[in-house]
Amino acid sequence: MRLLTTIVASLALAGLVARGSAQDQSFREEPDSVAVRQGETVTLTCAIDNVAGIVQWTKDNFALGSDRELPGYPRFTITGDVNRGEYNLVVQDTLLEDDGTYQCQASPTENQQGIRSQNAQLTIYLPPDDPVIEEGSSVSVIAGQPKNVTCRADNGKPAATLTWWKDGQEITEGITYITEDAGEKRQNGVSILTLNPSVDDHGKVLTCRSSNPAMDGNKETTTQLNVEHTPVVVVQSNPPLVEEGSSVSLSCESRANPGEVRSSSGSRNDVNYQWKKDGVVLAGENGQVLRLNNVRREDNLQVFTCDATNAVGTNSANITLSVQYGPEPLKTTEQVIVDRGTSATLVCQWSGNPSPTIMWAKKGSSSVLGTGDTLTFPIVDQSHSGAYECTAVVPGSGEDSREVVLVVNGPPIISSFEVQYASSGAEGQIECLSSNSPPPSRMAWTWNGIMLDTGTEGRFTAEQRDVHGGRLSVLTVSKVQAADFADYNCTVWNRLGLTSKIITLRQKEPLPLAAIVGGAVAGLVLILVIVLLVFVFCHRRRKKQGASNESITRLEVRADGQETPPKEKVEIIHRDHEAAKDKVPPPPPQRKYYITADYDDRDYSSKTSLGAPPPWTPPGGTYQDYKNGNLYSNPYNNYSSYPAVSEHSYERASIASRASRASEAQKKPRMMTHV
């Protein structure tokens, strides 16, 4: 029956003009291409105005029939209002076999031509098989060597779209995608990833995701990367900055596959180590830790290398040793000599670790003029001359400094006093000091029409000599006269010019008599105050010793050597003589003499029972006036007729005649206290 219907339709359309004429029957609505997933229902629309012929649907140019139920195609139905010319084709529960090109046609009549609609492509989507990575769940690769990894998803319609991901990050480079015909309108999707693995890729997960229009979501499969690589080596210093003279440990930590680093916690070790110093193998040093003791500054910046080897190969890492030490001078220009108006550069280079901070200052000043290895003056004058200090500071390791002298050549500089003095009738000298560089080529004095470099002119003699700080010219005047107190011109020449200075010679004023007398009185008062303080101190000390059995005899002597009248009598402590008889007699009392001075009375010879002490002659056989001793000196007074009286000289004289004086003192107790 299906075959008969097809034959009739074909004969009816024989001679049909393409698309028919636009006179009567025509398409109001033509079918459009559509794609659906397998199992879904799809409707292809067709509406014809002024239908005159027989309407039917074709699939891939094969007539399906004009009956609305389409016998032989149970899932196909023509629907719509016939009166309105609607001939919609409905396909239920679509299958892959429904995929094809459909067309709506109206057969010709005696008066009208037949018409055909545009082709409508019905596409059936079919999900692919689950994706598969051909290398399996783990892929072994070698770091730095390219490796292809393949993922495929078969039997999809259309072919599956495949994407690559690594630890959640999509890979967009190094991918080749191809499709393969799987038959029955199915296709296989194949994606090849060219991987260039790094050490950091070890253990990461590769994901292949597949998708096509027949899928609600994605499907994926994974594989883990096993990246074999040479050891990744890191060398560390503990401590990072080594103080000079201390110890340091260099540790070699590596990450390798295959192989693991032996750590302090302990783990298997398939890595071999070898240490080098500046490229030279250190014999026997094949552990992970290299110990260096008593590190010196010469070890600073030395390069230590750790070689780590596993089954894949060898890798190395270096560390440059950093030794902390204080500043050490490298280069210093001790003296720089330049002419005035030119530039000057002072150089002072230091080493140290950390690098020292270098500061410049003029000697004696705290103002910092600059920093760095050099100090430059673009234009110098003679005020720049002097000593400069460059100080290098290394935090935590101390500081050091060096001196650089800058000499600025210029015209002579005269630094003598403008007014100088001499005494009339005595020898006088006038000095002229030239204190700069270059040294003077000539120095001359001029006065009263006379010029004298060196030599003698009448009572005037000029001499020159080198002294610390320059060259000195001295003009000596013998037996200075009143006319000599005048102005003298000192002129100095050098290769850069000349300088003159007027020096005035004035008469030296004698010391006023009032000043001499005042000085003498002040000295005398000072001596009296000192003696009084000594007396008070001794008197208080004697009172504190009152409980002892020591008998103290005090003689009070004035400055002229006489004793003062007695003020106290001898007092016996043991008043009960009978009771004292039974006791052991005490040892003989010791006597001490304290000398005081009284300048009010020079006539002391008749006021002492001991008489004037004999004069004491010090080594050398001369006397020293007590008033003109160390405490005061008056060149205008001469007391050579009076012998020196001092505490030591008088005490020696007293000790020499102790027995007679003591006996006499017992008969006439004078300022003696028996305690």
Side-chain angles (χ1 to χ4, degrees), residues 29 40 51 76 93 111 136 150 171 202 227 230 301 355 380 386 436 442 467 494 515 530 586 610-611 620 625 630:
E29 186 175 358
E40 295 180 342
V51 177
F76 286 57
D93 301 327
N111 299 322
T150 302
I171 302 173
H202 179 65
V227 182
T230 58
L301 301 182
S355 297
V380 296
N436 70 305
R442 182 185 178 190
V467 296
N494 67 9
I530 294 174
L610 299 179
D625 186 1
N630 293 330

Side-chain angles (χ1 to χ4, degrees), residues 377-414:
F377 299 100
I379 299 177
V380 296
D381 55 33
Q382 288 167 294
S383 66
H384 291 95
S385 294
Y388 294 81
E389 287 185 336
C390 65
T391 302
V393 180
V394 175
S397 297
E399 64 180 55
D400 198 358
S401 62
R402 289 293 183 272
E403 183 176 295
V404 181
V405 176
L406 175 60
V407 178
V408 179
N409 293 327
I413 296 177
I414 299 175

Side-chain angles (χ1 to χ4, degrees), residues 207-426:
T207 301
C208 175
R209 294 179 182 174
S210 70
S211 64
N212 89 337
M215 301 170 58
D216 290 329
N218 299 320
K219 289 186 178 181
E220 62 183 37
T221 185
T222 61
T223 186
Q224 189 172 33
L225 293 177
N226 178 29
V227 182
E228 296 182 355
H229 57 86
T230 58
V232 178
V233 186
V234 177
V235 181
Q236 295 179 330
S237 172
N238 184 23
L241 187 61
V242 189
E243 293 184 2
E244 186 177 22
S246 63
S247 300
V248 61
S249 294
L250 305 181
S251 61
C252 185
E253 301 292 336
S254 68
R255 179 162 53 94
N257 182 33
E260 297 179 0
V261 177
R262 180 170 50 205
S263 62
S264 57
S265 60
S267 63
R268 73 183 184 88
N269 179 27
D270 294 334
V271 180
N272 297 322
Y273 299 94
Q274 178 61 59
W275 288 93
K276 298 177 183 178
K277 177 182 177 181
D278 289 336
V280 179
V281 174
L282 298 177
E285 297 295 343
N286 49 16
Q288 280 188 265
V289 178
L290 176 63
R291 180 75 174 178
L292 302 175
N293 297 317
N294 193 24
V295 177
R296 311 306 304 171
R297 65 181 61 189
E298 293 76 16
D299 299 323
N300 187 47
L301 301 182
Q302 287 187 336
V303 179
F304 289 85
T305 303
C306 175
D307 293 339
T309 304
N310 70 347
V312 179
T314 300
N315 206 352
S316 303
N318 300 327
I319 189 170
T320 301
L321 194 63
S322 181
V323 181
Q324 181 177 1
Y325 61 94
E328 181 178 9
L330 295 178
K331 178 182 177 181
T332 303
T333 54
E334 296 182 356
Q335 186 180 63
V336 177
I337 302 176
V338 295
D339 289 344
R340 185 180 66 175
T342 62
S343 64
T345 299
L346 313 183
V347 179
C348 187
Q349 296 177 348
W350 298 82
S351 68
N353 191 31
S355 297
T357 299
I358 303 174
M359 296 174 290
W360 290 87
K362 198 163 188 178
K363 190 171 183 179
S365 172
S366 59
S367 299
V368 177
L369 301 178
T371 59
D373 293 342
T374 60
L375 177 64
T376 300
F377 299 100
I379 299 177
V380 296
D381 55 33
Q382 288 167 294
S383 66
H384 291 95
S385 294
Y388 294 81
E389 287 185 336
C390 65
T391 302
V393 180
V394 175
S397 297
E399 64 180 55
D400 198 358
S401 62
R402 289 293 183 272
E403 183 176 295
V404 181
V405 176
L406 175 60
V407 178
V408 179
N409 293 327
I413 296 177
I414 299 175
S415 55
S416 298
F417 292 109
E418 294 182 354
V419 178
Q420 301 181 26
Y421 296 89
S423 297
S424 181

